[in-house]
């Protein structure tokens, strides 16, 4: 993002252990068989998570999170999955440092249980909810989303969660609520990056209400058949596949319904570079680099041919109508 030493963000230093869709599907089937009995009691699986994750880092054994394949239009891209190894070791999570390898090495200190989310602002009854309860508000679905980071790299990741709209309906926002703000964890005891002062903490993101209600906007609890690793935003994060990755806030602790467009972290830090909408748009360049193409992590780094970036990251059919009539160069 702002850190210039990472302009070479296309190169990732990791071995490329690509899991083919077939291998992954078989693994998933096995996981399902193993966890069939646990499906109804998915939350007891969740309760074991903390114990599994104590080791932290890449090697942590995480609990399975049972899910069914999503039937939502556009939610299951058939592109080759990014390897789980790459997706969990090449991350942005500035609360743990600015290097892509920092989150996997340092996020083990994040305490993810107990966890609650406070819902506040323009809702019928502002309330704090336990994560275990929130997890029951929607049926866990797997969705395979194309992800595009603002720095020019992309991945394809099998996420698990349910549409954020299920939560929003449940908490009954008032008609005056036009935007949703997501406030994430900021704990100096467990997040060493907070001392770096890269951003104004906590990390805050936001969506317009219709974007938040769009069925593709995923309240996310897991990936690759398991609960989220800490470096990927455990225990709960957002995934908004048609926007640059930074709109997908990690480790959410508060959801606030507001009338006015919130000032979100990167826009606050560098408004000339990062706008509120941040829709993936190959025609609107970042002031310091083109957004017309991208490199897929695991496909050979700098030596590999770039691929063209798609409008709305390939989700144009599903989301373009949200922006009808808007000047997307101005509203970047
Ligand atoms: N959320 C928090 N709380 N802090 C962050 O630094 N980084 C964002 C987003 N969410 C970030 C965050 C950015 S820049 C990206 S690209 C994605 O998380 C990366 O998610 P991933 O590591 O799962 O790929």
């Amino acid at each position: 993002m702002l850190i210039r030493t990472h302009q070479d963000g296309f190169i990732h230093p990791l071995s490329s252990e690509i899991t083919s869709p077939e291998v992954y599907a078989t693994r998933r089937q096995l996981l399902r068989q193993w966890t069939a009995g646990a499906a109804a009691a998915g939350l007891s699986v969740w309760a074991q998570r903390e114990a599994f994750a104590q080791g932290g880092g890449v090697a942590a054994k995480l609990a399975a999170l049972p899910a069914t394949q999503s039937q939502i239009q556009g939610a299951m891209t058939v592109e080759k999955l990014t390897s789980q190894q790459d997706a969990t070791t090449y991350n942005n999570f500035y609360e743990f440092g600015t290097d892509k390898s920092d989150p996997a090495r340092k996020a083990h200190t994040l305490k993810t249980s107990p966890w609650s989310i406070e819902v506040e602002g323009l809702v019928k009854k502002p309330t704090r909810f336990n994560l275990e309860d929130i997890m029951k508000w929607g049926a866990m679905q797997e969705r395979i989303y194309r992800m595009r980071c603002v720095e020019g790299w992309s991945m394809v990741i099998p996420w698990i969660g349910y549409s954020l709209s299920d939560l929003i309906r449940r908490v009954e926002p008032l008609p005056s609520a036009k935007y949703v703000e997501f406030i994430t964890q900021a704990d100096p005891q467990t997040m060493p990056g907070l001392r770096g002062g890269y951003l104004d903490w906590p990390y805050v993101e936001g969506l317009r209400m219709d974007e938040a209600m769009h069925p593709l906007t995923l309240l996310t609890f897991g990936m690759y058949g398991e609960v989220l690793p800490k470096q990927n935003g455990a225990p709960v994060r957002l995934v908004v596949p048609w926007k640059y990755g930074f709109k997908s806030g990690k480790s959410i602790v508060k959801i606030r319904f507001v009338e006015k467009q919130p000032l979100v972290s990167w826009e606050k830090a560098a408004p000339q570079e990062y706008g509120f909408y941040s829709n993936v748009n190959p025609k609107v360049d970042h002031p310091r680099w083109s957004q017309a193409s991208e490199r897929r992590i695991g496909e050979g780094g700098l030596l590999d041919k770039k691929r063209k970036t798609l409008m709305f990251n390939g989700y144009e059919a599903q989301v373009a109508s949200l922006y009808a009539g808007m000047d997307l160069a101005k509203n970047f």
Side-chain angles (χ1 to χ4, degrees):
M1 308 279 293
L2 270 180
I3 313 294
R4 281 165 201 269
T5 51
H6 293 286
Q7 277 181 338
D8 64 343
F10 302 132
I11 315 169
H12 68 108
L14 308 159
S15 61
S16 304
E17 299 165 10
I18 301 299
T19 309
S20 72
E22 293 75 21
V23 171
Y24 176 64
T26 312
R27 201 178 124 253
R28 218 167 34 190
Q29 214 174 357
L30 279 174
L31 273 175
R32 291 225 174 87
Q33 285 164 5
W34 294 336
T35 57
L43 296 172
S44 67
V45 172
W46 172 258
Q48 297 165 31
R49 182 206 182 280
E50 198 61 18
F52 280 121
Q54 283 314 312
V58 191
K61 176 82 190 88
L62 299 177
L65 184 60
T68 55
Q69 286 189 12
S70 180
Q71 301 298 312
I72 288 178
Q73 214 200 353
M76 295 293 283
T77 178
V78 292
E79 286 165 78
K80 191 170 178 176
L81 296 180
T82 299
S83 76
Q84 188 173 8
Q85 168 79 2
D86 283 352
T88 56
T89 52
Y90 190 80
N91 305 103
N92 276 335
F93 199 167
Y94 276 27
E95 288 84 337
F96 296 99
T98 56
D99 195 276
K100 302 280 182 272
S101 64
D102 280 337
R105 290 189 293 114
K106 299 182 182 169
H108 60 91
T109 53
L110 177 68
K111 193 169 179 291
T112 55
S113 176
W115 195 273
S116 60
I117 295 184
E118 195 172 347
V119 176
E120 64 173 36
L122 304 170
V123 277
K124 211 165 170 188
K125 275 193 229 150
T127 314
R128 180 186 290 276
F129 298 99
N130 290 330
L131 184 69
E132 287 78 3
D133 294 329
I134 290 175
M135 287 179 80
K136 292 182 211 152
W137 291 354
M140 289 294 168
Q141 292 177 13
E142 181 171 71
R143 309 217 183 150
I144 302 182
Y145 281 166
R146 228 173 282 117
M147 304 298 293
R148 170 64 154 81
C149 186
V150 74
E151 291 155 302
W153 40 276
S154 63
M155 302 197 194
V156 176
I157 298 185
W159 299 108
I160 300 170
Y162 60 76
S163 294
L164 175 68
S165 59
D166 289 345
L167 177 143
I168 293 180
R169 285 197 194 93
R170 183 92 185 205
V171 301
E172 299 184 74
L174 303 177
S176 52
K178 302 286 185 252
Y179 293 86
V180 193
E181 205 175 349
F182 304 91
I183 294 109
T184 69
Q185 177 70 301
D187 175 17
Q189 303 301 319
T190 54
M191 297 175 139
L194 263 55
R195 291 192 289 271
Y198 317 116
L199 288 170
D200 233 0
W201 310 106
Y203 191 99
V204 173
E205 256 311 332
L207 293 172
R208 212 170 59 188
M209 189 61 108
D210 57 347
E211 297 177 321
M213 290 298 290
H214 193 281
L216 285 175
T217 301
L218 191 70
L219 190 66
T220 308
F221 305 92
M223 63 195 291
Y224 295 89
E226 299 169 352
V227 297
L228 281 174
K230 292 179 177 181
Q231 61 268 32
N232 290 86
V236 55
R237 64 173 292 172
L238 216 61
V239 176
V240 193
W242 71 94
K243 293 179 180 280
Y244 292 113
F246 66 88
K247 296 296 287 182
S248 297
K250 293 174 165 180
S251 306
I252 295 168
V253 291
K254 202 178 274 190
I255 299 179
R256 185 185 290 148
F257 291 85
V258 295
E259 193 166 358
K260 297 213 169 69
Q261 184 175 302
L263 183 56
V264 291
S265 284
W266 283 103
E267 193 186 8
K268 191 173 181 184
Q272 67 287 3
E273 302 200 3
Y274 308 108
F276 175 79
Y277 285 95
S278 300
N279 291 318
V280 175
N281 190 338
K283 288 180 251 154
V284 176
D285 289 336
H286 184 280
R288 287 188 277 128
W289 57 81
S290 162
Q291 293 293 24
S293 62
E294 65 199 52
R295 284 208 167 85
R296 184 88 16 115
I297 294 290
E299 279 189 349
L302 273 184
L303 299 175
D304 206 63
K305 231 178 101 193
K306 286 186 175 182
R307 56 172 74 214
K308 277 191 177 156
T309 290
L310 302 171
M311 187 65 196
F312 296 113
N313 203 24
Y315 298 96
E316 189 168 11
Q318 287 79 33
V319 304
S321 61
L322 298 179
Y323 310 101
M326 277 177 73
D327 180 341
L328 297 180
K330 266 197 198 136
N331 298 285
F332 62 92

